[in-house]
Amino acid sequence: MFRAANTTGTRMTGRRREPGYLKAAIPVVFLLMTANAGASAPAGIPRDLARERAAQISDVRYHLTFTLTPHANVTQGTEELTFSLRSPQPVLLDFRDGSILSLTVNNIVVEAQEENGHVELPAERLRAGENVVRAQFTANVAPAGKPITRYEDHDDNTEYIYTLFVPMDASMAFPCFDQPDLKGRFRLELIASDAWTVISNTAPESESDSGSGRRRTVFHETLPISTYLFAFAAGPFRRLNESPGLPGVYVRSSRLEQAEREAPEVQQIAAEGIRYLSNYFAQPFPFPKYDMVLIPELAYGGMEHAGATFLREQSVLFRSAPTNTDRLNRDILVLHELTHQWFGDLVTMRWFDDLWLKEGFAQYMAYQTLASLKPDENVWKRFYESIKPAAYEIDSTEGTTPIYQDIPNLKDAKSAYGAIVYSKAPAVLKQLAFVVGPENFRNGLRLYLKDHAWSNADWNDLVHALEEVSGRSLDRWAEMWIRHRGMPQVDVTWSCEGDRLRQLSLSQHDVLGTTDVWPVATQVLLEQANGQPARLRVELDGASVKVSQAVGKTCPAFVFANDEDFAYGRFLLDPTSRTAVTSRLGGIDDLFLRTLLWGSLWESVREADLAPREYVALAQRLLPGEADQSLTAGILSHTATALHRYMNEDMRSEFVPDFERVAADRMLRDPDQDLRITWFRALGALAETPQGLGKIESVLDGQLSVPGVELRPLDRWRLVTELIALGDPHSQEVFQAEKARDPGGDGPEYAYAAEAALPDAATKRRYFDDYLHNSSRSEDWIAQSLGAFNFWNQIALTGPYLKPALEALPEIKRNRKIFFLMSWLGAFIEDQQSAAAQAEVHEYLRTAAIDPDLRLKILQIVDELDRTVKIRQRYGVAAVSSPPG
């Protein structure tokens, strides 16, 4: 996913194609000629093959029929594929994992020659103009590891089947041209139990009895969409609130009651989002209908299938007592997937190297939309909290990559997913809107969508649209922000003469140590001693700039170089400003500014420029008076990291009892319910003394309760996990009681995760073996348990699994969903603390024969371990025990 250097040797601008596009295309006919001469058909979908197919093939239509049988491991399918061909030549059709039972090309039976995930359609059976391919096939269905997934609901013993094809898994379900720039029209027929509800991209056209308790549903043909956007779901789903003007919401039967309470908010925000985005883009909603299907254990937060978004059920129907922040994060998820109906579905990236073009814009526009719909929610402050830290953490590692990533083959497209796409890209887009102005930004998007509707586009097309409406060249901006990895650190120097500023300047350097400089547009804050701020727009386009408009202004108490968070980069406080901020922070009324300053201080901790105990002491002093819930939650999260990674037991003992006391008090007495929930969560995260653990036990047995808050199962299981991990003497008794209390629903999954925290070697050995060798174990269960397995206080037990966890990476990358790999790496590496563990990871990097993408991902994750070792050494924290091996 991330690369350590620009290995292409080519400078790239917003106007030029990446080097892969500059190479001569390899025609399909050449690829097949080499295959016929003894070479293999290409593995995956090479970009050159895709480009040639896109040039030769058009007017693609799929007529698909699937027969869904309960509990079956395969589905039977038929397909009629029509397409136009410019000239007769062999064509590769993509199909892997399933089996073709019969195949005809233009009514002539041909032998299905399947190799490396392709089926050859021979030139002698094809013609210029329209061609018709008919196939009977089988595709696999499984609880995990297949794009047609079966979920069994143990609450009511029902079954659900759904598809998930991104980035190139449609070809595991049916023969197709599985590339984003060969859009097709899909006509689907599903034969399934007549007790099931079936949902797809379009509304049903007709239904008929298919015999033996089955029903055939024929769906209207879709508008042109890419293969990864085609989808269906089937099972005893229930539809909520069929109200005019509201999108449909489908939920499994056993969650209907909860959905009736909570999902109407989702319908409402989606309906309001459709109205806002239709106006903002000057483009009506592109598809005939819009449904949202809540899918249990969906591998992602959501998937934007055209007209039928799938949302992870756990992200919509809360498993723990929700705060307003949780609800707003759900709004962002809903609006993100909704935005894709325009940015991704109507106009689709030409290739997955421009993945950020849809994901970054969907994330940025979700916040833009929410800021308009809920103007009182300080949405751009929440954007900073949710987006920037993840982006900065990745972009300051040697494993980072440019936003634009070279993907030579779609089999490698999974490497493009991560914080660079989902966090840096929207953050950089906020910078771009600041550069060109909000009206030009909006008009550029309108032009882009108008020019490329129902087609494909790339970054160059968007740059051109924005340049056209703004009259401003964006070549250098695109070159540095989209085509280069890393980010600048922007430093401030200033001095006063009497009560007036004598000079102020900004300088920048690449955090990764190169000579790169970025065009940075920012807003500089001069905070006056009397609390009256002065704000200056500054453009830094070289190594440094003198801010002449600052000279002569009142001498500030402190200076902050990224006021209102328009710019992207690391913005640390200069020594004078940091001293002033730490003394004044509790009295800064501007919530957005206060949040940004807390974030800058935490960056100083991560840079080993501010002692962790100073940050924790500041949190100890100021948190009892902090009234904002999301800022409180962020500071508490950083405090937990400092206590558990950067400080030793003696240091923690100075702070933990007080945090336990404050958390217990605030969760009982704070007038704000969201803060009561936040401090309740903090008690579970920070408690480790017998007194603190006793408070947790009192919550679980009902002696203590959070006023006005009904704890949900996940709330309780998190506390049980803490007790188990910290070796509480009553933990097994509590664990068994909770299992009896919560035997159905998600209870077994939560119990599995909690038990992974048992601090004994036999448990760790049993779980690790289960992770790697139990093919029936749900990926979601494993992901839920990884944090408990690698609990922060169990380094001596988890250290021996560091190397085996690394050695398992190639298999995990092949067989698991996109985001699982990073969860696995983070769990096994980030909470290690020793120089020995650090050396073990870097030795693996030095000696293991792994692909470049895996190498970059390890470099991303090991950065936190590198920082931990550096911080502990810098501030004299005794090294923890080396991992036993």
Side-chain angles (χ1 to χ4, degrees):
M1 179 191 232
F2 302 133
R3 61 184 180 184
N6 184 348
T7 58
T8 64
T10 304
R11 286 289 183 183
M12 297 169 285
T13 72
R15 293 289 192 166
R16 283 209 298 269
R17 277 290 194 187
E18 78 287 1
Y21 279 109
L22 298 176
K23 295 183 292 185
I26 302 174
V28 177
V29 65
F30 174 77
L31 289 168
L32 285 175
M33 285 173 60
T34 58
N36 293 337
S40 296
I45 302 173
R47 179 166 44 203
D48 294 314
L49 167 62
R51 291 181 67 235
E52 181 63 20
R53 286 197 305 200
Q56 294 291 330
I57 295 167
S58 59
D59 301 323
V60 180
R61 275 183 158 86
Y62 299 92
H63 186 166
L64 292 161
T65 300
F66 290 93
T67 300
L68 305 179
T69 303
H71 310 296
N73 293 325
V74 297
T75 176
Q76 303 288 327
T78 65
E79 175 181 35
E80 181 179 282
L81 165 64
T82 65
F83 61 91
S84 291
L85 193 61
R86 287 181 61 185
S87 60
Q89 59 180 274
V91 169
L92 289 181
L93 198 60
D94 307 321
F95 187 57
R96 57 197 174 96
D97 195 55
S99 299
I100 290 183
L101 307 178
S102 67
L103 181 68
T104 67
V105 179
N106 292 324
N107 296 318
I108 303 296
V109 176
V110 300
E111 181 181 352
Q113 299 181 17
E114 301 177 56
E115 185 178 15
N116 274 342
H118 301 288
V119 178
E120 177 186 341
L121 305 180
E124 61 270 21
R125 300 298 178 221
L126 296 169
R127 57 191 175 223
E130 184 177 87
N131 293 268
V132 180
V133 177
R134 294 184 177 90
Q136 291 182 306
F137 61 90
T138 62
N140 291 311
V141 182
K146 303 296 179 184
I148 305 179
T149 300
R150 181 175 66 249
Y151 174 82
E152 296 183 6
D153 187 344
H154 296 293
D155 277 354
D156 57 8
N157 296 315
T158 55
E159 181 182 8
Y160 297 82
I161 295 174
Y162 64 91
T163 61
L164 194 60
F165 294 154
V166 66
M168 56 162 284
D169 286 349
S171 55
M172 295 177 71
F174 59 95
C176 59
F177 301 115
D178 205 2
Q179 60 189 74
D181 59 345
L182 265 181
K183 290 188 170 185
R185 295 175 183 265
F186 289 82
R187 186 174 180 84
L188 172 65
E189 299 185 33
L190 286 181
I191 301 170
S193 167
D194 58 14
W196 284 8
T197 299
V198 291
I199 309 113
S200 188
N201 304 90
T202 55
E205 178 182 282
S206 65
E207 294 180 339
S208 59
D209 182 22
S210 194
S212 303
R214 299 188 300 182
R215 182 176 62 248
R216 178 186 294 265
T217 303
V218 181
F219 292 89
H220 286 283
E221 187 177 64
T222 70
L223 293 161
I225 58 175
S226 301
T227 47
Y228 77 90
L229 297 170
F230 166 67
F232 61 81
F237 286 102
R238 301 289 295 275
R239 178 167 178 156
L240 273 67
N241 305 328
E242 296 191 46
S243 303
L246 291 181
V249 172
Y250 292 86
V251 65
R252 57 180 164 136
S253 298
S254 64
R255 287 290 186 266
L256 178 62
E257 184 178 344
Q258 184 182 3
E260 287 177 333
R261 295 193 306 269
E262 299 181 9
E265 298 175 15
V266 172
Q267 286 179 295
Q268 191 60 44
I269 197 70
E272 293 174 7
I274 287 173
R275 288 191 289 271
Y276 175 83
L277 290 168
S278 297
N279 177 67
Y280 185 90
F281 292 141
Q283 184 82 243
F285 185 78
F287 300 101
K289 60 97 176 172
Y290 190 58
D291 290 325
M292 293 174 285
V293 187
L294 309 189
I295 302 291
E297 297 187 3
L298 187 71
Y300 320 127
M303 180 58 210
E304 69 274 12
H305 308 118
T309 282
F310 291 178
L311 297 173
R312 181 175 169 86
E313 183 189 272
Q314 293 91 322
S315 299
V316 174
L317 307 180
F318 296 115
R319 300 301 195 260
S320 58
T323 64
N324 185 51
T325 295
D326 296 323
R327 294 187 180 92
L328 291 172
N329 288 340
R330 181 177 63 182
D331 289 345
I332 290 297
L333 169 63
V334 171
L335 294 171
H336 174 108
E337 304 303 340
L338 176 63
T339 301
H340 275 312
Q341 302 298 305
W342 289 268
F343 252 93
D345 297 4
L346 173 66
V347 179
T348 309
M349 64 204 169
R350 188 168 283 114
W351 192 248
F352 270 82
D353 45 22
D354 268 323
L355 175 69
W356 76 275
L357 192 59
K358 75 181 185 76
E359 294 300 343
F361 265 96
Q363 194 73 333
Y364 174 80
M365 284 307 305
Y367 281 91
Q368 170 72 33
T369 304
L370 190 63
S372 177
L373 300 180
K374 296 186 176 181
D376 296 332
E377 290 292 355
N378 215 330
V379 169
W380 294 112
K381 172 250 189 190
R382 296 178 183 277
F383 178 92
Y384 166 77
E385 292 173 312
S386 300
I387 296 294
K388 290 296 191 69
Y392 293 160
E393 285 182 16
I394 295 295
D395 232 8
S396 59
T397 76
E398 288 294 340
T400 194
T401 67
I403 289 176
Y404 176 95
Q405 296 182 52
D406 184 41
I407 307 293
N409 193 309
L410 281 190
K411 67 183 177 64
D412 304 315
K414 290 181 180 181
S415 67
Y417 289 81
I420 293 298
V421 162
Y422 286 92
S423 295
K424 181 178 181 177
V428 165
L429 288 169
K430 186 183 180 188
Q431 163 86 157
L432 179 58
F434 185 64
V435 168
V436 301
E439 186 174 345
N440 285 331
F441 187 77
R442 181 201 63 197
N443 290 339
L445 300 189
R446 287 178 172 182
L447 180 61
Y448 169 82
L449 290 172
K450 178 183 177 183
D451 285 351
H452 302 285
W454 305 114
S455 185
N456 298 81
D458 58 31
W459 166 241
N460 299 301
D461 299 311
L462 185 57
V463 167
H464 177 74
L466 289 166
E467 287 181 330
E468 184 172 334
V469 300
S470 69
R472 178 169 181 158
S473 172
L474 295 173
D475 274 357
R476 174 161 162 72
W477 190 93
E479 163 74 14
M480 292 309 302
W481 288 112
I482 307 304
R483 308 291 188 168
H484 272 61
R485 74 183 195 131
M487 65 179 183
Q489 176 171 311
V490 177
D491 298 312
V492 183
T493 58
W494 56 282
S495 61
C496 292
E497 200 169 81
D499 63 351
R500 296 292 164 182
L501 260 173
R502 184 172 63 86
Q503 65 84 25
L504 186 149
S505 62
L506 303 183
S507 62
Q508 64 165 298
H509 65 270
D510 179 12
V511 299
L512 299 177
T514 76
T515 58
D516 286 342
V517 294
W518 284 259
V520 178
T522 190
Q523 182 169 279
V524 177
L525 171 73
L526 311 178
E527 181 73 7
Q528 308 291 339
N530 61 7
Q532 296 299 314
R535 292 180 164 90
L536 309 173
R537 180 181 174 120
V538 177
E539 297 209 5
L540 172 63
D541 201 19
S544 63
V545 64
K546 293 180 179 180
V547 185
S548 59
Q549 66 265 43
V551 176
K553 292 189 178 295
T554 301
C555 185
F558 66 85
V559 177
F560 183 58
N562 191 23
D563 184 50
E564 296 191 61
D565 192 38
F566 291 114
Y568 181 88
R570 182 188 294 153
F571 293 85
L572 304 184
L573 294 161
D574 66 89
T576 300
S577 294
R578 192 166 81 189
T579 299
V581 164
T582 54
S583 66
R584 298 161 58 97
L585 191 53
I588 293 176
D589 293 330
D590 184 330
L591 175 58
F592 196 177
L593 175 60
R594 196 163 72 246
T595 302
L596 291 169
L597 293 174
W598 272 108
S600 180
L601 291 173
W602 179 247
E603 283 296 308
S604 293
V605 173
R606 298 187 74 249
E607 287 300 299
D609 192 44
L610 177 66
R613 66 183 303 145
E614 290 185 40
Y615 181 94
V616 173
L618 189 64
Q620 182 185 43
R621 176 166 64 88
L622 297 182
L623 270 179
E626 180 55 62
D628 182 73
Q629 181 272 326
S630 63
L631 176 55
T632 297
I635 298 168
L636 284 168
S637 175
H638 292 152
T639 297
T641 298
L643 289 169
H644 296 157
R645 289 184 188 165
Y646 306 153
M647 299 165 70
N648 59 26
E649 185 175 356
D650 290 341
M651 292 177 175
R652 290 199 309 277
S653 67
E654 298 178 36
F655 296 102
V656 166
D658 189 54
F659 276 108
E660 291 176 343
R661 179 188 58 77
V662 173
D665 180 70
R666 293 282 300 268
M667 82 177 191
L668 298 176
R669 296 180 177 84
D670 198 285
D672 184 272
Q673 176 170 300
D674 283 357
L675 279 167
R676 291 198 297 275
I677 294 172
T678 300
W679 282 102
F680 157 74
R681 294 174 180 175
L683 177 65
L686 296 176
E688 58 178 288
T689 71
Q691 293 77 17
L693 299 182
K695 289 282 197 308
I696 291 176
E697 290 182 28
S698 295
V699 171
L700 289 170
D701 66 19
Q703 294 181 49
L704 279 180
S705 61
V706 183
V709 177
E710 180 183 354
L711 299 187
R712 302 190 184 190
L714 185 54
D715 295 311
R716 297 181 59 84
W717 277 109
R718 284 171 175 162
L719 298 183
V720 173
T721 303
E722 293 282 328
L723 294 177
I724 292 172
L726 292 166
D728 181 83
H730 305 112
S731 60
Q732 279 307 300
E733 179 184 334
V734 171
F735 175 66
Q736 295 301 329
E738 200 62 30
K739 285 177 68 176
R741 177 192 179 97
D742 189 18
D746 297 315
E749 177 181 352
Y750 297 151
Y752 176 85
E755 196 170 14
L758 272 169
D760 68 77
T763 296
K764 302 301 182 187
R765 188 164 50 249
R766 173 167 57 88
Y767 267 77
F768 195 80
D769 181 71
D770 192 63
Y771 293 160
L772 295 185
H773 303 123
N774 184 354
S775 60
S776 65
R777 178 67 65 198
S778 164
E779 187 174 291
D780 197 63
W781 283 40
I782 297 174
Q784 289 285 340
S785 72
L786 288 174
F789 181 97
N790 290 281
F791 209 81
W792 64 267
N793 70 330
Q794 297 180 12
I795 294 170
L797 288 168
T798 59
Y801 296 96
L802 179 56
K803 185 176 181 181
L806 292 169
E807 291 170 342
L809 289 174
E811 179 183 353
I812 287 171
K813 182 179 178 181
R814 280 193 304 272
N815 299 324
R816 297 293 183 181
K817 295 294 184 183
I818 289 169
F819 299 113
F820 183 87
L821 178 68
M822 295 302 282
S823 297
W824 178 271
L825 273 171
F828 281 97
I829 294 177
E830 284 188 334
D831 275 318
Q832 295 293 321
Q833 299 171 4
S834 69
Q838 178 190 34
E840 189 165 41
V841 177
H842 284 283
E843 176 66 10
Y844 180 80
L845 283 167
R846 189 182 68 81
T847 60
I850 53 176
D851 66 54
D853 172 52
L854 277 179
R855 185 172 302 279
L856 291 174
K857 282 181 166 56
I858 298 170
L859 284 169
Q860 290 174 44
I861 298 299
V862 77
D863 182 80
E864 177 60 22
L865 176 55
D866 293 339
R867 290 176 187 274
T868 297
V869 172
K870 178 181 177 181
I871 290 167
R872 293 175 73 95
Q873 291 175 346
R874 167 73 173 80
Y875 294 104
V877 181
V880 295
S881 300
S882 301

